Amino acid sequence: EDKVVQSPLSLVVHEGDTVTLNCSYEVTNFRSLLWYKQEKKAPTFLFMLTSSGIEKKPGRLSSILDKKELFSILNITATQTGDSAVYLCAHGGATNKLIFGTGTLLAVQP
Amino acid sequence: DAGVIQSPRHEVTEMGQEVTLRCKPISGHNSLFWYRQTMMRGLELLIYFNNNVPIDDSGMPEDRFSAKMPNASFSTLKIQPSEPRDSAVYFCASSLKDGEAFFGQGTRLTVV
């Protein structure tokens, strides 16, 4: 059965800290690994990775995928209070099936 | 594009009543997903469609739940009869093949 496991479940940091969120997966047909941010409402898309390596966005977010070891990392540098959210990792399968982990709740304190 | 549109935004109903949730995906997207989110279980995939055809409904909790996609621009999720344990936020999402999924704003369902 396809599975996505995220850690830690929750994390409290101070503004300016760097955080690393973890995602491991077990899948039968890997197609992609996605990261989403969820504040009060719907999840919003951050990254999609299809091959091992690093993906960066302008700013403070980056993500790494290791297809050999079946894990991904989301890094946030110089955290701000606006980064407080639930971060969700998802696996996209061969038939476009999208399975989510339970998420990491990040709280950034001033 | 207005994004994925769900209705209603909030629904409060009595146990035993039928509930119908509606979703309009982004035009041109060929995959549609229904998710249920609770504090205890997170974001669970209930069912998804490719090109209007149900591909995997193994996440549908029981026979009280059913979903349809009569055309590329509309889908429904029906619960009949509803129970208090069905209370959750239900999200619809759509995507292109091999693309990221875009979520609607969700329907908060409360069954009393």
Side-chain angles (χ1 to χ4, degrees):
Chain A
E1 181 182 342
D2 292 353
K3 189 164 62 173
V4 177
V5 179
Q6 293 187 244
S7 64
L9 290 181
S10 63
L11 190 56
V12 181
V13 300
H14 290 96
E15 272 191 315
D17 289 349
T18 293
V19 298
T20 298
L21 309 182
N22 303 297
C23 175
S24 64
Y25 59 91
E26 297 175 19
V27 298
T28 51
N29 290 292
F30 179 86
R31 180 176 61 82
S32 60
L33 191 291
L34 300 93
W35 285 96
Y36 284 78
K37 178 182 182 181
Q38 186 176 23
E39 295 174 89
K40 292 190 183 298
K41 297 184 178 177
T44 54
F45 172 74
L46 294 175
F47 290 101
M48 183 168 71
L49 303 103
T50 57
S51 56
S52 293
I54 300 174
E55 182 102 3
K56 292 185 179 181
K57 284 193 176 296
R60 301 171 294 105
L61 271 64
S62 63
S63 183
I64 297 171
L65 176 65
D66 186 327
K67 289 178 68 175
K68 183 178 178 184
E69 300 297 329
L70 307 183
F71 78 86
S72 177
I73 286 171
L74 178 67
N75 281 315
I76 309 174
T77 60
T79 52
Q80 303 169 356
T81 54
D83 295 326
S84 297
V86 174
Y87 289 85
L88 296 162
C89 171
H91 158 253
T95 58
N96 226 29
K97 184 174 183 176
L98 199 57
I99 299 293
F100 282 82
T102 52
T104 293
L105 174 61
L106 174 64
V108 181
Q109 296 181 340
Chain B
D1 198 318
V4 176
I5 299 173
Q6 291 187 244
S7 65
R9 294 292 305 276
H10 302 272
E11 175 82 30
V12 180
T13 190
E14 291 185 346
M15 182 173 62
Q17 296 298 305
E18 177 179 296
V19 175
T20 299
L21 311 182
R22 297 173 176 80
C23 176
K24 176 178 167 51
I26 293 172
S27 177
H29 281 189
N30 52 14
S31 292
L32 184 141
F33 309 83
W34 282 102
Y35 290 92
R36 177 173 67 177
Q37 189 172 42
T38 60
M39 289 289 291
M40 292 297 294
R41 300 174 69 90
L43 200 59
E44 299 174 277
L45 178 63
L46 300 177
I47 185 171
Y48 75 106
F49 298 82
N50 284 348
N51 299 314
N52 313 339
V53 176
I55 302 301
D56 187 339
D57 65 355
S58 59
M60 297 285 260
E62 44 196 277
D63 292 346
R64 298 185 296 106
F65 286 69
S66 61
K68 294 182 180 179
M69 192 165 185
N71 57 62
S73 59
F74 184 65
S75 178
T76 59
L77 177 68
K78 186 177 292 187
I79 308 173
Q80 165 64 17
S82 57
E83 297 182 2
R85 59 191 168 125
D86 301 330
S87 298
V89 179
Y90 290 81
F91 285 105
C92 175
S94 70
S95 75
L96 291 166
K97 185 177 183 299
D98 299 333
E100 69 269 26
F102 295 83
F103 282 77
Q105 290 303 298
T107 296
R108 181 174 295 277
L109 173 65
T110 303
V111 184
V112 298

